[in-house]
Amino acid sequence: MASSSLSTTERRGIPGAQFVEDVETYLTQSGLDVNSALSFLQERLQQYKLVEMKFLAQQRDLQAKIPDIEKCLDVVATLQAKKGTAEALVADFEVSEGIYSRACIEAADSVCPALLQKNFNNAKASLEVLVADLQFLRDQVTITQEAQNASKR
């Protein structure tokens, strides 16, 4: 068996891990001894873990943001539906965490949901890309851990 001759790929700046089929060939080709290779692989795992923590934080932020934008879009749709009627809209909104206020919106001459819709679409697209990035990153962690385990044998 020989180490994989496929070049490692990268995704959005995340370096791809090289699949190692034969440790001796890998060490010879990389010019590393076992300890240096293990040190390199451990450092790479730490880098992957840091990026994963960053991505997970971004994912949490987006998952919290999307429902807020949807609520705003619902309010705008309600305002558009009441446009031109004399009926006022009473809405409760959060001023600060746990502090709410009530507003009475009597006339909404212009309501434009385009920016909200754009933000919603961008947030959904960003979340999809982030999920794919996380999957790629997890694959690289698995490959690196396997290479590390093979080098220890």
Side-chain angles (χ1 to χ4, degrees):
M1 287 185 180
S3 68
S4 175
S5 60
L6 296 174
S7 62
T8 57
T9 60
E10 86 171 39
R11 180 180 173 96
R12 292 196 337 141
I14 304 165
Q18 182 179 0
F19 183 79
V20 176
E21 292 179 30
D22 183 337
V23 175
E24 286 183 34
T25 304
Y26 169 74
L27 293 174
T28 303
Q29 288 178 349
S30 64
L32 300 172
D33 61 33
V34 173
N35 290 332
S36 298
L38 286 172
S39 178
F40 169 77
L41 293 170
Q42 186 60 37
E43 183 179 320
R44 181 60 58 93
L45 277 174
Q46 289 174 352
Q47 291 170 346
Y48 286 149
K49 291 296 183 182
L50 287 173
V51 173
E52 181 181 33
M53 286 175 27
K54 177 184 164 192
F55 283 175
L56 288 172
Q58 289 175 352
Q59 184 181 29
R60 280 190 303 273
D61 290 347
L62 283 170
Q63 287 173 332
K65 184 180 190 179
I66 289 171
D68 288 343
I69 296 172
E70 285 177 320
K71 287 178 189 174
C72 289
L73 284 168
D74 288 344
V75 169
V76 168
T78 302
L79 285 172
Q80 284 180 323
K82 293 191 181 265
K83 185 177 178 181
T85 68
E87 188 179 348
L89 173 67
V90 177
D92 294 327
F93 61 96
E94 190 171 16
V95 177
S96 183
E97 189 173 335
I99 300 173
Y100 293 85
S101 181
R102 179 162 285 164
C104 182
I105 303 169
E106 293 180 5
D109 292 333
S110 66
V111 177
C112 184
L115 183 59
L116 275 175
Q117 188 63 50
K118 180 181 175 186
N119 288 346
F120 177 74
N121 293 341
N122 287 343
K124 294 283 274 185
S126 294
L127 184 59
E128 287 178 18
V129 169
L130 194 55
V131 168
D133 288 346
L134 275 166
Q135 184 58 51
F136 175 80
L137 186 61
R138 288 179 181 140
D139 290 346
Q140 303 322 297
V141 167
T142 300
I143 292 168
T144 303
Q145 287 172 335
E146 289 300 318
Q148 192 176 38
N149 292 336
S151 296
K152 288 180 182 179
R153 294 183 203 134

